[in-house]
Amino acid sequence: MASLNQKQEIKVYNSLSGSKETFKPLLEGNVGMYVCGPTVYSNVHLGNVRTFMSFDMIFRYLKHLGYKVRYVRNITDAGHLTDDADEGEDKIAKKARLEQIEPMEVVQQYTIDFHTILQKFNCLPPSIEPTATGHIIEQIEIIKEIIDNGFAYEKNGSVYFDVLKFNESHDYGKLSGRNLEDMIANTRELTAQSEKKNAQDFALWKKAEPQHIMRWPSPWGDGFPGWHLECTAMSTKYLGEQFDIHGGGMDLKFPHHECEIAQSEASNGKNPVNYWLHANMLTLNGKKMSKSDGNNIFPAQIFTGDSPFLTKGFSPSVARFFVMQAHYRSVLDFSNDALLASEKGFNRLMEAVNLLEALPTSEKSSIDIETWKQSCYDAMNDDFNSPILIAQLFEAAKFIHQIKDGKASITQTDLEDFKTTIKAFVFDVLGLEDVNAAAEANTDKLNGAIELLIQLRKEARANKDFATSDQIRDHLLELGIQLKDGREGTTYTLS
């Protein structure tokens, strides 16, 4: 029997060609996917979370279709300078200097934050999560290859990629659609102290000044790798010199992803990626998010509601549902009103899902389940169009209410297929969680724990151990749980 991935043909929008293309993995039934991860020097940005959530949805759908997916998402823990023009401090080292702690303490703190936030949004962990500092040797080897092939030069302990030389035989700018001559014309002249031959050249290895904490030995002296090189080294190591999908935010297309292509072609002569996928940006109340002008919100604030932009807190699943209601390549505007509307839609969908188990069955189905089911696949096969999928799920919700009210009918066989499909797309593909069901489960656990404490208190009083009895009562009161002793026994209220 043919697997789902053989039955369903996916079209993806490839940033490299600027068009939708039929997705064909290099190795049938297997997918290699690399997504640029965070630079861990601060709390993860909500816009970045949107990107990771989008690729989590893509990862989930590919797995649902039966592909064996190796999903690699890196952690940048060194080499990303404050200025993308290869100047300034390392972002992590700067944070460490300001907080007077070790750089790896900064890395640890914000890597944990990143993982915690993504777990709350129910993102699956990648197959491999390599770090830049764990792959210094691989980066040095790639630099050696690029130098040997004549596309890089060493200057005073730093190594730079020669963009003009590379462009003589290759196409630098093919991903971003930029013309090198135009780039040169719009570039300011190099300063006298610059080591680069041309302003477009970028660092593969930077010499570490005496005050630079993060440094490694190399054939060119102590230094640290260039930001662009890290992803080339890690993607090549775990996915090979050529792989299927490379993802990231739209803002990484140039220069980061453009440089990745150049580095691969300069080192091994191969175009590294077949399909480049880019997620679009997230705005806040119609404006670009910015910490400096206060138009910013952190993911954790969504859950608590502790933000001037929100009237209340929202569950991670409601926020995820809000993100999935927009196509990953569309600009998405975040606002309190949009989240409130998403919460209503989310609750409506979950209410329908919870009605599935109690639906009556008939001898005939008045609904064509197979056609509806394929419409869900058609949505996702069209460049992972989650908003169209959600529209089809709301159609399903209408069917569910019609069946419940006796205005439509479904056979037992169709109902099983219907249930399986809805749950697969809602929970496995979109990655939503039924927060109301989870809350009920937690309430049951809480009730059980309180009843146990009431029983222990009862036994303490029977043994005239009033100190323990009072301690249980007082501690519960501090937690907002008030015990009331009556003729029928002890009851409690939550405040």
Side-chain angles (χ1 to χ4, degrees):
M1 186 176 163
S3 62
L4 266 175
N5 60 58
Q6 291 171 314
K7 294 181 192 172
Q8 305 294 337
E9 184 179 88
I10 304 175
K11 299 269 189 184
V12 299
Y13 182 87
N14 189 351
S15 298
L16 192 60
S17 65
S19 60
K20 284 184 188 175
E21 299 176 9
T22 301
F23 176 69
K24 279 193 164 57
L26 288 162
L27 183 63
E28 190 178 340
N30 293 263
V31 177
M33 181 168 81
Y34 186 90
V35 174
C36 289
T39 300
V40 283
Y41 71 101
S42 64
N43 296 104
V44 64
H45 188 280
L46 190 60
N48 291 341
V49 170
R50 188 224 174 161
T51 295
F52 300 129
M53 227 185 280
S54 297
F55 284 100
D56 178 67
M57 175 264 293
I58 291 169
F59 177 40
R60 285 169 171 274
Y61 185 59
L62 293 170
K63 280 166 65 78
H64 170 73
L65 291 183
Y67 283 108
K68 185 179 179 182
V69 187
R70 178 177 287 178
Y71 173 22
V72 182
R73 187 186 66 214
N74 72 298
I75 295 284
T76 293
D77 57 353
H80 195 168
L81 302 185
T82 51
D83 181 348
D84 282 348
D86 300 322
E87 301 299 331
E89 278 186 275
D90 181 293
K91 290 186 175 187
I92 290 160
K94 181 181 178 183
K95 185 79 170 182
R97 179 175 57 77
L98 293 172
E99 295 193 6
Q100 295 188 310
I101 57 177
E102 276 286 329
M104 283 301 140
E105 287 184 75
V106 173
V107 167
Q108 180 77 352
Q109 179 183 339
Y110 294 113
T111 300
I112 290 170
D113 168 72
F114 172 65
H115 288 151
T116 301
I117 292 297
L118 288 200
Q119 278 173 350
K120 283 192 181 294
F121 283 117
N122 200 27
C123 289
L124 299 173
S127 319
I128 303 172
E129 193 172 49
T131 63
T133 56
H135 296 77
I136 300 294
I137 293 169
E138 289 85 351
Q139 293 173 73
I140 288 171
E141 289 306 308
I142 290 174
I143 295 171
K144 286 179 187 174
E145 289 172 3
I146 296 173
I147 291 173
D148 289 347
N149 292 337
F151 296 116
Y153 55 92
E154 185 264 338
K155 190 81 173 177
N156 300 327
S158 292
V159 181
Y160 296 97
F161 190 96
D162 193 334
V163 171
L164 268 64
K165 179 74 188 299
F166 174 79
N167 200 57
E168 289 172 8
S169 52
H170 297 76
D171 183 7
Y172 182 80
K174 64 183 175 184
L175 177 67
S176 56
R178 299 183 184 216
N179 180 284
L180 186 56
E181 289 176 2
D182 293 340
M183 286 189 249
I184 293 168
N186 295 323
T187 305
R188 287 174 295 183
E189 286 187 25
L190 289 170
T191 57
Q193 66 266 31
S194 178
E195 299 169 334
K196 298 179 183 180
K197 288 183 184 176
N198 312 288
Q200 286 68 38
D201 296 350
F202 56 89
L204 298 172
W205 187 265
K206 284 286 281 183
K207 178 185 178 180
E209 297 304 324
Q211 71 275 16
H212 201 96
I213 309 170
M214 304 181 81
R215 58 204 296 139
W216 291 266
S218 82
W220 315 284
D222 281 7
F224 53 93
W227 173 42
H228 312 306
L229 186 67
E230 298 170 0
C231 287
T232 297
M234 290 183 275
S235 61
T236 303
K237 176 161 185 175
Y238 297 108
L239 298 174
E241 292 178 346
Q242 291 182 296
F243 55 96
D244 300 301
I245 296 172
H246 194 314
M250 201 79 82
D251 57 322
L252 295 178
K253 195 186 283 188
F254 187 89
H256 188 53
H257 291 161
E258 197 74 72
C259 293
E260 279 190 61
I261 293 175
Q263 289 165 164
S264 288
E265 292 183 345
S267 63
N268 58 46
K270 294 175 183 173
N271 181 35
V273 179
N274 280 354
Y275 306 95
W276 285 89
L277 275 54
H278 289 96
N280 216 322
M281 67 188 293
L282 188 71
T283 56
L284 178 58
N285 294 323
K287 293 190 295 183
K288 186 178 178 182
M289 283 200 195
S290 167
K291 289 180 194 173
S292 56
D293 65 11
N295 195 54
N296 185 55
I297 184 168
F298 285 106
Q301 292 176 291
I302 298 170
F303 316 143
T304 62
D306 181 22
S307 165
F309 299 109
L310 297 176
T311 54
K312 53 170 275 196
F314 296 89
S315 78
S317 243
V318 166
R320 184 173 174 120
F321 182 66
F322 160 73
V323 168
M324 295 296 139
Q325 284 181 295
H327 190 270
Y328 78 92
R329 284 193 294 112
S330 304
V331 174
L332 174 60
D333 189 50
F334 183 95
S335 70
N336 186 70
D337 288 348
L339 275 177
L340 287 169
S342 284
E343 188 172 52
K344 283 183 184 172
F346 174 81
N347 289 337
R348 218 164 70 238
L349 183 60
M350 288 304 157
E351 180 195 359
V353 170
N354 289 328
L355 288 172
L356 277 168
E357 297 303 328
L359 287 183
T361 56
S362 307
E363 290 183 10
K364 286 186 180 178
S365 291
S366 59
I367 296 157
D368 186 345
I369 295 300
E370 202 54 45
T371 300
W372 168 83
K373 181 177 170 179
Q374 187 54 46
S375 71
C376 292
Y377 283 104
D378 290 345
M380 289 302 289
N381 292 341
D382 183 16
D383 195 28
F384 313 105
N385 201 324
S386 57
I388 299 296
L389 169 63
I390 288 170
Q392 293 303 329
L393 292 172
F394 278 122
E395 281 297 310
K398 269 201 301 195
F399 297 159
I400 289 166
H401 283 286
Q402 287 170 356
I403 295 164
K404 175 179 170 279
D405 296 339
K407 295 174 182 172
S409 60
I410 192 166
T411 66
Q412 184 65 44
T413 304
D414 278 354
L415 179 59
E416 291 307 315
D417 196 16
F418 195 37
K419 281 196 291 192
T420 302
T421 305
I422 289 173
K423 288 179 179 180
F425 279 107
V426 170
F427 302 121
D428 298 343
V429 175
L430 292 178
L432 303 176
E433 294 179 292
D434 189 347
V435 288
N436 295 327
E440 283 175 22
N442 286 337
T443 301
D444 289 343
K445 289 175 187 173
L446 177 65
N447 289 339
I450 295 172
E451 291 297 341
L452 174 63
L453 288 168
I454 288 172
Q455 183 60 35
L456 291 172
R457 179 171 172 263
K458 183 180 176 184
E459 289 172 11
R461 292 173 79 184
N463 295 330
K464 299 196 183 326
D465 182 2
F466 298 113
T468 300
S469 164
D470 291 347
Q471 191 178 27
I472 292 171
R473 181 198 62 206
D474 295 344
H475 274 316
L476 286 173
L477 190 59
E478 285 172 17
L479 296 169
I481 302 162
Q482 185 170 11
L483 299 184
K484 292 182 181 176
D485 296 316
R487 286 182 186 174
E488 305 298 319
T490 303
T491 58
Y492 68 91
T493 56
L494 301 176
S495 58

